[in-house]
Amino acid sequence: MSIKNFFLVIFCLFFVFACAERKIYMPEGKVEGEIPKKEEKIEAGKPEQQEEISTEKMSELVKKLQDEVRDIHFDFDKYDIKQEDIPTLKKVASILQEYPGLKVIIEGHCDERGTAEYNFALGQKRANAVKQYLITLGVPSSKMEIISYGEEKPLCNEHNESCWQKNRRAHFVFIEEGK
């Protein structure tokens, strides 16, 4: 084997391992990184609950959901879904399936550490991880949008771990479909 071929093999191996994706936590009984089958889908509400609701009631529902649905949080430099956040994601999935006129914008946020470009990309990965998890729960992709704010919209401005943890989050913004 020539030295040129040796370095080519080393480069290829490095490339393969460097491009490996991180895995998303999935419900028990699933291999980490495996997408659950559709039987894991959250059951939608009864047909009578899926009737169109008035604009006024929809606005009230949106306000109520903004107050009730909490953010989910991430570890430093990670975009893996944590086990303790799964009930929140199941609640979001159930809500989106119950109300056909409702959509959600999933915002990805980071703490201040790292470059602005890196944090923007990490926020995008966090928002996308949440979206992909909701898809596995049966939420149509068309009912979700993602956006990254990186470090631009912190909840806390102190420079300590407690504050940084609050800023490493995915936030849900509910909107009426078509708006």
Side-chain angles (χ1 to χ4, degrees):
M1 177 186 272
S2 73
I3 194 128
K4 184 177 179 181
N5 288 339
F6 175 76
F7 283 113
L8 181 62
V9 169
I10 296 297
F11 175 76
C12 289
L13 287 173
F14 176 75
F15 183 75
V16 167
F17 289 110
C19 293
E21 288 190 31
R22 295 185 186 185
K23 296 178 181 166
I24 299 171
Y25 177 83
M26 293 294 170
E28 298 103 41
K30 299 293 177 195
V31 175
E32 199 171 300
E34 177 184 58
I35 307 244
K37 305 293 183 246
K38 284 295 179 182
E39 68 266 6
E40 302 244 352
K41 176 180 172 181
I42 304 294
E43 291 300 317
K46 297 176 185 165
E48 61 269 11
Q49 290 176 318
Q50 291 188 356
E51 293 177 12
E52 289 294 317
I53 60 176
S54 71
T55 304
E56 183 179 306
K57 286 187 179 183
M58 182 62 80
S59 295
E60 290 173 13
L61 174 65
V62 167
K63 287 178 188 174
K64 179 182 174 192
L65 292 173
Q66 286 308 136
D67 292 337
E68 287 182 5
V69 177
R70 65 178 179 86
D71 294 347
I72 67 166
H73 293 88
F74 298 89
D75 290 331
F76 176 69
D77 201 29
K78 305 273 186 195
Y79 55 94
D80 303 329
I81 303 295
K82 294 181 180 181
Q83 171 119 14
E84 66 255 23
D85 291 319
I86 291 174
T88 299
L89 295 174
K90 286 183 176 182
K91 180 177 183 175
V92 170
S94 178
I95 290 165
L96 291 172
Q97 291 170 340
E98 186 173 345
Y99 298 99
L102 199 60
K103 287 180 74 171
V104 69
I105 300 170
I106 305 163
E107 299 177 349
H109 297 269
C110 300
D111 63 37
E112 65 190 32
R113 297 173 291 176
T115 65
E117 295 81 14
Y118 180 82
N119 285 334
F120 177 78
L122 182 58
Q124 191 79 9
K125 289 177 184 178
R126 288 174 175 169
N128 193 51
V130 171
K131 179 180 180 181
Q132 294 305 312
Y133 194 88
L134 290 172
I135 287 171
T136 67
L137 295 175
V139 177
S141 177
S142 62
K143 292 184 69 88
M144 298 177 280
E145 295 177 25
I146 62 172
I147 188 167
S148 175
Y149 288 108
E151 62 189 70
E152 299 302 314
K153 290 190 172 186
L155 285 179
C156 181
N157 291 310
E158 296 173 23
H159 305 288
N160 58 51
E161 184 55 41
S162 173
C163 186
W164 293 328
Q165 174 60 37
K166 292 175 187 172
N167 292 333
R168 297 190 302 258
R169 70 194 190 282
H171 178 72
F172 302 97
V173 178
F174 293 94
I175 58 172
E176 294 179 55
E177 215 163 341
K179 289 198 173 188

